[in-house]
Amino acid sequence: MTAPARILPERYDPAPVESKWQAIWERDGAFRAEPLSRDGERPVLPARPKAYVLEMLPYPSGEIHIGHVKNYTMGDVIAHYRRRTGAAVFHPMGYDAFGLPAENAAIRTGEPPARVIDRNIARIRDQLKRLGFSVDWDSEIATSDPEYYRWTQWLFLRFLERGLAERREAAVNWCPNDQTVLANEQVIDGRCERCGAEVELRQLTQWFLRITDYAQRLLDDMDELVDWPERVLTMQRNWIGRSEGARVAFRSGDEEIPVFTTRPDTLFGATFFILAPEHPAVGRLVAGLPQEAAVREYAAAAARSSAAERGDAERAKTGVFTGRSVVNPVTGEEIPVWVSDYVLMDYGTGAIMAVPGHDERDLAFARAHDLPVRRVIAPEGVAADEPVEEAYVGPGKLVNSGFLDGMEVPEATRAVTEWLAERGLGERTVGYRLRDWLISRQRYWGAPIPVIHCPACGVVPVPDDELPVLLPEVDDYAPRGQSPIATNAEFVEVACPSCGGPARRETDTMDTFVDSSWYFLRYTAPHLSSAPFEREVVDYWFPVDQYIGGVEHAVLHLLYARFFTKVLHDAGLVAVREPFARLFTQGMIYRDGAKMSKSKGNVVAPDDLVERFGADTLRLYVLFMGPAADDAEWSDRGVEGQRRFLDRLWRLVGALEPGAPAVRPTRESLEDDPAALELVRKAEATVAKVTGDIAERFSFHTAISAVQELVNLGTKHVSEGTLETERERVALRYAAQTAVSLLFPFAPHVSSELWEALGGADLWREPWPEADPAFLERDTITVVVQVNGKLRDRMDVAPGTGREELLGQARALPKIASAIDGREVVREVIVPDRLVNLVIR
Ligand SMILES: [Zn+2]
Ligand SMILES: [Zn+2]
């Protein structure tokens, strides 16, 4: 007797399967994208729909961690799905390679950062390849490559031409530990985003990009971003911080000092005036006065305290009198000018009119320094001359306010603004919390800012054809308040491109967030030497259809990238105004209740897991952990569970006979065969479920569990020996191959191997299955999900699904979770088979 022919080895061993398919995909160029811009080639634009699937590029600081695996696996699922539904897919990968980690390693070891980065990139690339991501490796870029930063510099010069890059003196955030300035967005609660040191304010001349010119458009265009998480949009809106008010001019002699106020109606109550210690007018006002020394001493002390300390509402309101006054434009009164560190250069104009009767902090200052307090708004039942006990900020009628007396606040606001405008003393205006983006860094490992300082000509741009300005070699990478490249005389001392006289190169390098503000464009032209990218190809691929990354970038990278794209749009370089059509922000992975870190010893290494379980198991597990947007807790047993599932699937397929993939039976042909009907019906329901979960709901854990149910059903029939007829054997084969086909985006290697065993070929290009509606009848119904009565999403459920189950599923939907956004659900309206409405406060 001979054993029956087997279509697979008995045991599933992931290592040979994974290396086999990785080699095949590479050989066949399976994931290569067209069109890309290449030297000397005209791009051919496909007529097919396109899908640009992008994950935030990694920082090559060492190796990838488990969070990266989750991020890239999500993107990979979308990319595979879009490919198999007929789209031209672009799924590139690169490295955000400038910046502090490589540089700090260089300072420690003396090894040049470029070499550290090359080694780290090689390591990460190898890790990514072992995980089998369907990346177009031809488009790989590294932002520290001269071929790349040449164009970062070129784009900087376009900003300069358009008046959007400028050098000016300002109070800036200084990290004493990293010895460099930081952008406002890189200061988190008064601390350096990178190292956690308390940030100081310093008065320095630095390069800025004028993102504030785009504040309103960054707000307005959010209307287009319907597929962004509400949380991210809210964070951006708050960061931009639009407020309506008036700009009012106060004069002190020849010096005009504007303020921005949201309460011009209280102008008659402005009894003193305060400047931030860094305000440029301070020095001019006090020059030669007896108060000069005291004011300078106060400003120096303020520079040593952090912005967080200074912003603390509870802090004692210190200050010094300047010896000067300004004229209140409505009363004509001379009011004293003080300097105090609770006024930040960062907000408004760095000067305020103090209205102690109606502002808490101004009142605290007035009490501390014995300054007059005047009531100018009286609520119902309060007399105009009643003394102010606490700052009153509610509604009421104007008092002690000349021509405004008797008006309500909104009317007074309009009247005083008109009055000021008629006299050229002020105007209605809009204020923003957003500040210009400080891009200078006094560090080595970044793109040099491509300008030259000439004593005769001023700031002269490096001519385009002399780019890139290459980072010079230095002996010591340690920052000492200026970039280490300033120590290389050959680099610094140059001839002025304009007059030929002796001049000096700029030695600041650019913030690495400049590099990452346009990398998604360069992917389309990774090695083009004539331009950063070509408009035709960019216009084909953009906007990015799906962007995936961490929410921590909400007011950093995601804001900068939007700004860059708008500027490039205005310069005619790209058609889109927004780079990312859909954004998904994934949750974090914790272990033992904490963020994974080497110091806590709770890190799981992707390589070890690939070694032990296989890449496919790891990919499955990181998506099976729970809703992709939520934080999740790592479980070793969970990984083992996914491996056991793949073993089960392997055995199921291995038990089938050799042959070609089964053709789907018709519904009618199975009417009298309940076992076969059950299998095919389940297969069809699984197709519908997985398709919806990937394409609409971003719900990968439920997609995986649906495939597992299908596999379990097949396994049950095999082990119980219930399948006897030919029709039943076909149904089982069909169910198994459907499971394999649907599992492919998540676990591509083992799926490809099993597909081949089932008589198929190249599953990566096999059309995505479509469910036959004949089998779906009454299998699922669509329930609408509302928040506060507004339609937010739909979900497919079995008829008669219970209230608790409906509620649980509804709340797990990413769109619903983001609509609720942490607020309290006060009522749940559930109409089974029809609707779920969550009422939130
Ligand atoms: Zn720092
Ligand atoms: Zn010159």
Side-chain angles (χ1 to χ4, degrees):
M1 236 175 91
T2 52
R6 288 195 56 87
I7 61 173
L8 283 169
E10 204 145 344
R11 268 193 69 250
Y12 165 45
D13 180 7
V17 173
E18 289 174 0
S19 49
K20 167 183 162 184
W21 287 98
Q22 286 164 16
I24 291 174
W25 297 329
E26 184 156 337
R27 183 198 68 199
D28 293 354
F31 310 126
R32 206 169 289 152
E34 288 300 339
L36 293 184
S37 298
R38 294 188 184 86
D39 281 338
E41 266 180 41
R42 289 300 322 139
V44 180
L45 306 183
R48 288 189 288 165
K50 62 88 188 179
Y52 187 169
V53 181
L54 181 68
E55 302 100 46
M56 289 181 187
L57 82 180
Y59 209 99
S61 54
E63 39 187 65
I64 60 163
H65 55 72
I66 206 77
H68 291 117
V69 178
K70 179 174 170 181
N71 189 341
Y72 305 143
T73 306
M74 281 194 277
D76 210 38
V77 169
I78 303 286
H80 277 308
Y81 170 77
R82 295 300 303 267
R83 245 179 235 115
R84 289 183 53 197
T85 48
V89 168
F90 188 30
H91 187 210
M93 182 59 71
Y95 311 94
D96 190 11
F98 270 140
L100 292 185
E103 184 167 348
N104 288 339
I107 293 165
R108 276 197 313 275
T109 63
E111 190 179 11
R115 217 184 310 149
V116 175
I117 282 296
D118 280 352
R119 189 172 57 236
N120 290 351
I121 286 177
R123 171 95 183 87
I124 290 179
R125 182 191 298 120
D126 181 57
Q127 287 187 296
L128 295 173
K129 289 194 167 178
R130 284 186 70 191
L131 283 156
F133 295 126
S134 64
V135 159
D136 179 357
W137 289 104
D138 285 356
S139 61
E140 188 188 39
I141 56 174
T143 59
S144 61
D145 192 336
E147 196 184 42
Y148 183 88
Y149 73 71
R150 167 187 181 184
W151 298 111
T152 306
Q153 293 172 335
W154 186 90
L155 289 170
F156 172 88
L157 294 177
R158 305 290 82 77
F159 276 65
L160 190 63
E161 278 168 4
R162 302 179 72 77
L164 292 169
E166 65 182 23
R167 192 163 176 269
R168 61 168 188 252
E169 185 179 306
V172 296
N173 305 297
W174 175 263
C175 174
N177 184 42
D178 289 322
Q179 290 278 302
T180 185
V181 298
L182 302 169
N184 282 12
E185 289 79 7
Q186 290 158 355
V187 179
I188 316 290
D189 297 330
R191 291 174 179 279
C192 169
E193 173 226 19
R194 279 269 161 227
C195 72
E198 271 202 30
V199 167
E200 298 166 4
L201 285 175
R202 284 201 182 177
Q203 196 71 23
L204 292 170
T205 300
Q206 300 283 298
W207 283 97
F208 291 86
L209 296 185
R210 295 184 54 93
I211 191 172
T212 53
D213 286 9
Y214 283 72
Q216 192 56 47
R217 283 170 62 189
L218 286 165
L219 282 176
D220 292 343
D221 291 349
M222 283 189 200
D223 293 348
E224 286 180 30
L225 305 179
V226 290
D227 288 315
W228 278 43
E230 193 50 48
R231 179 161 66 137
V232 173
L233 296 178
T234 302
M235 284 166 81
Q236 290 203 354
R237 224 173 261 128
N238 293 343
W239 186 257
I240 295 168
R242 182 184 200 275
S243 56
E244 291 187 8
R247 190 180 155 89
V248 185
F250 285 73
R251 299 198 75 87
S252 178
D254 293 339
E255 185 86 35
E256 187 180 290
I257 311 174
V259 302
F260 171 75
T261 174
T262 58
R263 296 295 306 274
D265 56 303
T266 62
L267 195 46
F268 281 87
T271 51
F272 56 99
F273 194 86
I274 304 185
L275 294 170
E278 305 81 10
H279 196 291
V282 170
R284 293 193 291 272
L285 287 179
V286 299
L289 295 187
Q291 286 86 354
E292 181 169 3
V295 170
R296 290 199 186 280
E297 196 177 308
Y298 182 83
R304 288 190 296 270
S305 45
S306 70
E309 283 166 6
R310 290 176 52 180
D312 184 356
E314 300 300 312
R315 193 167 183 234
K317 297 289 176 284
T318 61
V320 281
F321 177 50
T322 60
R324 294 282 219 149
S325 60
V326 291
V327 176
N328 181 326
V330 287
T331 62
E333 282 172 292
E334 299 258 344
I335 58 174
V337 177
W338 286 65
V339 169
S340 172
D341 67 3
Y342 81 93
V343 176
L344 299 173
M345 213 42 225
D346 233 27
Y347 288 87
T349 59
I352 62 160
M353 59 177 221
V355 185
H358 304 280
D359 181 283
E360 216 175 292
R361 298 195 309 167
D362 296 352
L363 182 60
F365 191 87
R367 296 252 154 95
H369 303 281
D370 207 17
L371 291 159
V373 180
R374 188 181 299 159
R375 174 185 296 286
V376 290
I377 295 166
E380 191 78 29
V382 170
D385 56 358
E386 203 162 303
V388 170
E389 291 299 329
E390 47 189 88
Y392 179 71
V393 294
K397 283 199 164 56
L398 274 281
V399 294
N400 302 319
S401 293
F403 66 95
L404 301 177
D405 278 353
M407 294 182 188
E408 298 280 343
V409 167
E411 190 191 353
T413 303
R414 270 193 304 277
V416 74
T417 312
E418 271 170 34
W419 189 94
L420 291 165
E422 280 164 13
R423 285 158 186 81
L425 296 168
E427 58 187 350
R428 218 185 90 92
T429 184
V430 171
Y432 299 91
R433 185 177 172 271
L434 184 69
R435 301 286 97 191
D436 280 332
W437 173 14
L438 170 52
I439 60 152
S440 289
R441 291 294 176 275
Q442 289 73 47
R443 298 291 303 233
Y444 176 76
W445 192 233
I449 294 176
V451 301
I452 287 164
H453 301 282
C454 169
C457 316
V459 168
V460 182
V462 172
D464 285 355
D465 60 10
E466 290 176 23
L467 298 178
V469 175
L470 289 170
L471 261 181
E473 305 267 314
V474 297
D475 298 325
D476 179 5
Y477 302 99
R480 296 191 166 81
Q482 61 173 356
S483 168
I485 63 179
T487 61
N488 185 317
E490 215 177 303
F491 174 81
V492 174
E493 288 156 24
V494 287
C496 167
S498 177
C499 70
R504 293 176 64 82
R505 254 189 221 289
E506 173 64 61
T507 58
D508 283 350
T509 54
M510 281 188 246
D511 179 6
T512 56
F513 280 101
V514 177
D515 311 325
S516 58
S517 291
W518 75 281
Y519 77 100
F520 39 87
L521 293 161
R522 182 64 178 176
Y523 275 146
T524 68
H527 306 293
L528 191 66
S529 62
S530 54
F533 46 80
E534 285 181 309
R535 174 157 178 168
E536 196 185 6
V537 174
V538 164
D539 288 354
Y540 174 78
W541 285 115
F542 277 77
V544 169
D545 297 81
Q546 181 66 62
Y547 198 26
I548 306 173
V551 74
E552 67 275 15
H553 292 288
V555 297
L556 288 157
H557 163 63
L558 289 168
L559 191 63
Y560 297 145
R562 293 185 59 216
F563 164 54
F564 246 72
T565 304
K566 289 180 194 309
V567 173
L568 300 184
H569 168 86
D570 292 352
L573 292 169
V574 303
V576 290
R577 291 179 306 171
E578 287 290 337
F580 314 124
R582 289 181 83 177
L583 171 70
F584 187 85
T585 49
Q586 88 271 21
M588 300 261 292
I589 298 179
Y590 290 91
R591 192 177 188 209
D592 309 325
K595 225 173 131 166
M596 290 190 199
S597 76
K598 275 191 191 135
S599 59
K600 292 197 199 82
N602 63 346
V603 177
V604 289
D607 291 5
D608 294 349
L609 293 158
V610 170
E611 200 72 45
R612 280 178 63 197
F613 299 104
D616 283 330
T617 293
L618 179 56
R619 294 172 53 124
L620 272 180
Y621 177 62
V622 290
L623 294 191
F624 188 71
M625 294 177 81
D630 293 358
D631 294 340
E633 172 73 23
W634 181 265
S635 150
D636 292 332
R637 289 183 51 198
V639 188
E640 287 159 18
Q642 293 308 308
R643 175 55 197 268
R644 279 198 302 275
F645 159 63
L646 292 182
D647 287 334
R648 205 151 62 233
L649 175 60
W650 185 275
R651 286 195 300 270
L652 175 66
V653 173
L656 302 175
E657 288 154 17
V663 176
R664 174 168 56 205
T666 63
R667 172 73 211 256
E668 296 73 47
S669 71
L670 301 180
E671 217 49 78
D672 56 348
D673 193 335
L677 180 60
E678 186 191 22
L679 276 166
V680 178
R681 188 186 257 172
K682 183 73 181 172
E684 298 307 285
T686 308
V687 170
K689 169 81 179 145
V690 172
T691 304
D693 281 351
I694 295 176
E696 286 153 36
R697 293 182 285 274
F698 238 82
S699 180
F700 304 122
H701 63 305
T702 53
I704 295 167
S705 91
V707 175
Q708 293 178 341
E709 279 180 36
L710 176 60
V711 171
N712 291 348
L713 181 68
T715 304
K716 179 179 132 236
H717 279 294
V718 172
S719 63
E720 290 173 1
T722 39
L723 303 177
E724 290 160 357
T725 66
E726 177 58 21
R727 265 191 306 186
E728 287 164 350
R729 279 193 290 274
V730 169
L732 177 66
R733 190 179 187 88
Y734 179 72
Q737 87 200 19
T738 301
V740 166
S741 177
L742 295 175
L743 197 65
F744 170 79
F746 304 91
H749 313 87
V750 67
S751 304
S752 296
E753 185 72 9
L754 295 175
W755 185 257
E756 191 178 66
L758 285 164
D762 291 339
L763 185 49
W764 63 270
R765 59 175 134 210
E766 184 73 17
W768 186 253
E770 272 180 59
D772 179 348
F775 288 96
L776 295 179
E777 284 168 354
R778 295 169 44 235
D779 266 11
T780 63
I781 47 175
T782 301
V783 169
V784 299
V785 186
Q786 305 173 331
V787 175
N788 286 351
K790 197 171 158 206
L791 175 66
R792 292 292 188 160
D793 209 349
R794 297 182 166 80
M795 56 186 189
D796 296 328
V797 299
T801 299
R803 302 171 65 90
E804 283 307 306
E805 171 80 31
L806 282 177
L807 192 60
Q809 283 198 36
R811 294 196 64 155
L813 297 169
K815 283 185 186 162
I816 301 306
S818 103
I820 294 176
D821 198 24
R823 281 170 291 179
E824 189 193 351
V825 177
V826 291
R827 206 151 57 87
E828 294 145 349
V829 182
I830 299 162
V831 183
D833 294 353
R834 295 268 306 282
L835 154 158
V836 174
N837 179 20
L838 302 172
V839 182
I840 61 173
R841 215 186 340 238

